[in-house]
Amino acid sequence: MARRRWFLASIVALALAAGGAVQGRAPAALPQRLTDAEFWKLIQDFSEPDGFFRSDNLVSNEDTFQAIVPDLQRLVKPGGVYIGVGPDQNFTYIAALKPAIAFIPDIRRGNLQMHLMYKALMEQSVDRADFLSRLFSRKRPEGLTALSTPTQLFTAYATAEPSDGLFKTNYQAILTTLAKHGIAMGDADARGIEYIFGSFYASGPYLQYSSAPAAGRSRYPSFAELQVATDGAGVARAYLASEENYRAVRSLEQRNLIVPLVANFAGPKTLRAIGAWVSERGGKVTTFYSSNVEQYLFQDGIWGDFAENLAALPTDQSTTFIRSCFN
């Protein structure tokens, strides 16, 4: 590729003896929908205490994560369980891999708040253009249709003016939608969502992982740049690249099947709780997207705890691990 690539995604098949296939297991019974009470109970029961990370991480800094989607689609069976960390790049993998349910564990409670925001906005928005209008608090530009390309979508929103009135209305609608689901957020979570939603309002499609340049690179990709990117072969794979991709993610959100959690990958509860829950329903974890979290586990000396947590997940020979490798 002509431009320098700062992100390399590699795919590694897991070979975890503890998670091997069990002979005679009953057919999988993963739910087609979670009730509101079940959804909120999973969040409460499986989450660990809020942790620290050096960035809000509202937008991915991995600018070629779509490149592996064709390989993933050949390797990963649909209808399994997806586990992935971080913001909305997970939606692109989810749209491509069609899991039955997705868990999004992240050490920051802010990530949970952001995914609850996304849930509410997607439930309210019948198509991509409506979703972006709400996310950016900008009036929907004329002429956008279900056939609009991602470039057409983001070109239109690049010149749309932010609206303080829309921001206030949409923020209240987020809280109202979550309340209807019985999600009992406290003031801290409401303020967290307001801060995150305010970041999208202020920067719109230009929002980045960080406004400060990283060592060795001039800038991070923007929200819009990640959505108009392709897999390197010219195929747009992002979850906002097509209405089909968007609807696949929205359908899971409407059925409470994208479950955000607060978790340390090496923590004592979350990954083991997910594993037990999936095992009880005869399911398999088909995909585990770790981003670059592993480098922090090496630094903190808790790699062994992470490995033991992985070994507790129900897997099979096709279970696939996705990691990002920088530099």
Side-chain angles (χ1 to χ4, degrees):
M1 295 179 65
R3 65 188 182 89
R4 298 184 67 182
R5 300 176 68 157
W6 294 98
F7 164 75
L8 171 65
S10 63
I11 313 173
V12 183
L14 290 178
L16 301 178
V22 177
Q23 298 295 324
R25 183 184 291 278
L30 294 171
Q32 296 184 1
R33 176 183 296 272
L34 292 174
T35 67
D36 291 339
E38 289 169 335
F39 175 75
W40 187 234
K41 181 173 173 57
L42 284 178
I43 291 175
Q44 291 179 302
D45 290 353
F46 286 12
S47 287
E48 295 172 343
D50 189 13
F52 169 78
F53 189 66
R54 63 189 182 189
S55 169
D56 292 330
N57 196 16
L58 304 182
V59 178
S60 177
N61 59 358
E62 302 164 13
D63 57 4
T64 60
F65 64 86
Q66 293 186 40
I68 60 169
V69 168
D71 288 331
L72 286 171
Q73 290 178 322
R74 287 191 291 270
L75 290 168
V76 177
K77 296 178 292 187
V81 176
Y82 174 96
I83 300 175
V85 68
D88 68 327
Q89 70 265 41
N90 286 284
F91 295 155
T92 291
Y93 288 143
I94 289 168
L97 302 178
K98 306 294 191 295
I101 187 170
F103 293 93
I104 313 293
D106 192 287
I107 198 167
R108 301 164 297 120
R109 190 168 184 87
N111 195 69
L112 181 150
Q113 295 161 353
M114 179 167 57
H115 278 282
L116 291 178
M117 176 196 77
Y118 276 129
K119 173 180 176 60
L121 292 175
M122 285 190 176
E123 289 185 4
Q124 297 163 19
S125 306
V126 297
D127 61 19
R128 295 172 296 157
D130 278 351
F131 170 71
L132 290 175
S133 174
R134 289 183 169 90
L135 179 64
F136 298 146
S137 298
R138 286 153 170 80
K139 182 180 178 181
R140 175 175 175 152
E142 295 182 1
L144 296 177
T145 71
L147 299 179
S148 296
T149 67
T151 297
Q152 289 170 335
L153 278 174
F154 285 96
T155 297
Y157 275 103
T159 56
E161 290 295 325
S163 166
D164 184 61
L166 283 178
F167 171 78
K168 292 176 180 177
T169 298
N170 292 337
Y171 171 64
Q172 288 302 318
I174 291 170
L175 299 185
T176 299
T177 298
L178 295 177
K180 288 180 179 178
H181 281 288
I183 297 175
M185 294 188 305
D187 290 341
D189 281 331
R191 289 194 302 271
I193 290 176
E194 183 178 21
Y195 168 76
I196 294 164
F197 191 49
S199 298
F200 281 93
Y201 162 69
S203 298
Y206 301 106
L207 184 65
Q208 300 175 26
Y209 171 84
S210 173
S211 59
R217 69 184 296 170
S218 60
R219 61 183 296 276
Y220 291 107
S222 68
F223 183 96
E225 288 171 324
L226 293 175
Q227 289 298 319
V228 303
T230 69
D231 62 5
V235 180
R237 305 279 184 173
Y239 72 99
L240 295 178
S242 69
E243 293 299 327
E244 179 184 4
N245 287 358
Y246 174 72
R247 285 195 297 267
V249 179
R250 183 175 185 250
S251 175
L252 290 177
E253 294 282 24
Q254 290 174 309
R255 291 179 286 138
N256 293 331
L257 294 175
I258 298 180
V259 184
L261 302 165
V262 184
N264 186 326
F265 275 10
K269 185 199 300 190
T270 303
L271 292 186
R272 291 174 181 270
I274 293 171
W277 187 91
V278 174
S279 294
E280 289 170 1
R281 289 153 182 81
K284 298 292 184 183
V285 174
T286 50
T287 317
F288 194 114
Y289 165 59
S290 68
S291 186
N292 66 329
V293 170
E294 291 165 304
Q295 71 182 50
Y296 300 103
L297 304 179
F298 277 122
Q299 292 170 5
D300 293 340
I302 51 178
W303 179 263
D305 296 326
F306 172 53
E308 290 180 4
N309 287 342
L310 288 182
L313 298 175
T315 65
D316 63 21
Q317 293 302 311
S318 68
T319 299
T320 302
F321 201 93
I322 310 169
R323 57 169 57 95
S324 60
C325 308
F326 293 85
N327 299 324

